Amino acid sequence: MSIPNHDFLRYTLAYPDKVNATQFPLPDGIAYLEGVGILRLEPHHPVQHSVVLSAGIHGNETAPIELLNGLVRQLLTGELALSVRVLIILGHPQAMIAAERFCDVNLNRLFCGAWQRYDGLEVGRAQELEQAVAKFFGQHEQGEKLHYDLHTAIRGSQYEKFAVHPFSDGKAYQHSQFAFYDAIGLEAVLLSHQPTTTFSYHSYAKHGAQAATIELGQVKPFGENDLTKLDSLNEALKALLSDAALTQGQARNVHLFEVIDVLTKDAEDYRLNIASDEKNFTGYTQGFELATSSASRYLVKQEGDALVFPNTKLPIGQRSGLVVRARSWQTFKTI
Ligand SMILES: [Zn+2]
């Protein structure tokens, strides 16, 4: 078999519950359909790099799903040559069909084995994706391991496109990654300050991959995305797949932020004192009461500290936002 019309997204949404693992020839390699929304492409010739590209871990974040589907089509037809091993993941087909972020629980909180502490549809999926990535990186031979997990944000942002870099735990930051972020049109990078249970952190921490969560603008339904806004990302991913080259821009063009505090919804009456359409990276004055509940209050610690990913429509105990602070490149070291 092959994939009808080379349309991996359509095929995945037509069979969201189960597919039989199978393989079929590519113009210059072999494609392995390993599970629902999981496609591994291996060139015949020796390669540089093992690359995981994932989208739709949140089902309604459609723009990067459509972008990845376009790249897969070009790889399947041979229009785009393949010079790396690549694992394509359409993260959460059930949520895509429901046009929802998730069904039972946020899939992007379930990695690094965190699925063991949850119930719901996403638990099995997190386990399946962890296994697919472990198998893929387990067969890595040379070059870099890379994983870019593509998302779009719930709200607008002062910086429309940005990356969340995994907590490095003392490991060096790689200059080539930051120069790649500029090349793909990102305006900012958020440096995580502690381990998390996201998909990209899982690849970074468990498999030693260079990895990032990449936010690419605001959520829109399928078919309503202006993919020309993602042209530089599309071109850079094509170069990565076909030339094994990480397109390099100017790393220092990217604004750096570091996470200062994680806000947590700690009571039913918890609220953030911001406009409902407040943009990500909006900065506040020192002393401003950013969050209030019967259990706690959070005052802004330093002039300009900003809020990213605010969300209070979630269960008590979950993350309601990240407080971030601009970081100067002068004190930031990369290799
Ligand atoms: Zn997302």
Side-chain angles (χ1 to χ4, degrees):
M1 73 151 266
S2 178
I3 290 175
N5 303 313
H6 310 292
D7 191 338
F8 184 47
L9 174 59
R10 189 168 189 174
Y11 181 82
T12 299
L13 297 184
Y15 304 98
D17 299 315
K18 192 178 185 313
V19 294
N20 292 321
T22 181
Q23 67 183 68
F24 53 92
L26 291 173
D28 191 25
I30 301 177
Y32 299 86
L33 181 65
E34 301 203 312
V36 176
I38 305 174
L39 186 65
R40 178 164 59 95
L41 305 179
E42 303 270 1
H44 286 311
H45 52 274
V47 296
Q48 302 274 343
H49 312 320
S50 298
V51 182
V52 179
L53 297 176
S54 53
I57 290 293
H58 294 133
N60 60 351
E61 298 179 357
T62 56
I65 301 172
E66 291 175 344
L67 182 142
L68 268 197
N69 197 45
L71 292 174
V72 171
R73 183 180 51 73
Q74 293 172 66
L75 291 170
L76 295 182
T77 59
E79 192 181 323
L80 194 61
L82 189 58
S83 297
V84 297
R85 306 175 62 230
V86 62
L87 182 67
I88 300 284
I89 292 178
L90 303 182
H92 197 337
Q94 303 281 10
M96 288 175 206
I97 291 166
E100 297 283 356
R101 185 169 164 80
F102 55 82
C103 297
D104 297 322
V105 54
N106 182 351
L107 177 57
N108 210 24
R109 298 283 176 276
L110 300 189
F111 294 92
C112 301
W115 48 267
Q116 294 165 81
R117 303 193 294 271
Y118 288 85
D119 294 311
L121 184 67
E122 286 79 8
V123 166
R125 186 62 173 166
Q127 211 174 342
E128 189 179 14
L129 296 185
E130 282 189 359
Q131 285 165 0
V133 168
K135 179 178 167 193
F136 180 69
F137 283 139
Q139 294 169 358
H140 171 77
E141 285 183 356
Q142 57 181 336
E144 294 251 31
K145 296 180 198 169
L146 301 165
H147 179 185
Y148 299 110
D149 184 34
L150 310 177
H151 289 248
T152 54
I154 299 172
R155 58 182 60 234
S157 181
Q158 304 286 354
Y159 302 108
E160 197 186 29
K161 299 174 199 160
F162 61 97
V164 181
H165 190 289
F167 171 58
S168 69
D169 199 15
K171 286 201 288 287
Y173 291 102
Q174 288 200 357
H175 180 85
S176 60
Q177 295 301 316
F178 290 80
F180 181 66
Y181 297 152
D182 179 52
I184 63 175
L186 306 189
E187 297 147 273
V189 177
L190 199 57
L191 307 167
S192 304
H193 73 320
Q194 63 186 24
T196 69
T197 55
T198 62
F199 198 19
S200 65
Y201 180 74
H202 174 262
S203 289
Y204 185 85
K206 304 284 175 190
H207 300 294
Q210 290 299 315
T213 304
I214 294 182
E215 299 284 349
L216 296 164
Q218 235 179 321
V219 164
K220 298 255 171 62
F222 278 124
E224 292 184 19
N225 296 296
D226 177 5
L227 290 184
T228 61
K229 286 184 166 183
L230 303 180
D231 270 350
S232 46
L233 172 65
N234 196 39
E235 290 307 313
L237 290 180
K238 280 161 71 172
L240 177 57
L241 295 169
S242 62
D243 305 331
L246 214 50
T247 307
Q248 298 287 281
Q250 294 292 333
R252 284 183 176 232
N253 287 347
V254 178
H255 296 271
L256 297 178
F257 288 85
E258 52 195 359
V259 179
I260 299 300
D261 281 313
V262 177
L263 302 182
T264 303
K265 180 171 176 176
D266 59 5
E268 241 1 289
D269 61 359
Y270 182 93
R271 66 190 160 85
L272 293 168
N273 299 315
I274 61 170
S276 60
D277 61 350
E278 195 96 300
K279 290 179 166 179
N280 278 324
F281 291 100
T282 298
Y284 303 94
T285 53
Q286 187 176 8
F288 175 69
E289 186 166 328
L290 188 55
T292 314
S293 81
S294 48
S296 71
R297 47 205 293 254
Y298 182 89
L299 305 183
V300 169
K301 290 174 179 165
Q302 187 176 306
E303 193 70 23
D305 282 356
L307 185 60
V308 181
F309 301 131
N311 184 10
T312 54
K313 290 179 192 154
L314 30 76
I316 290 174
Q318 290 200 11
R319 185 185 91 182
S320 54
L322 296 175
V323 180
V324 304
R325 186 174 292 166
R327 165 92 184 249
S328 157
W329 268 95
Q330 282 169 353
T331 60
F332 186 69
K333 287 205 167 40
T334 57
I335 58 165

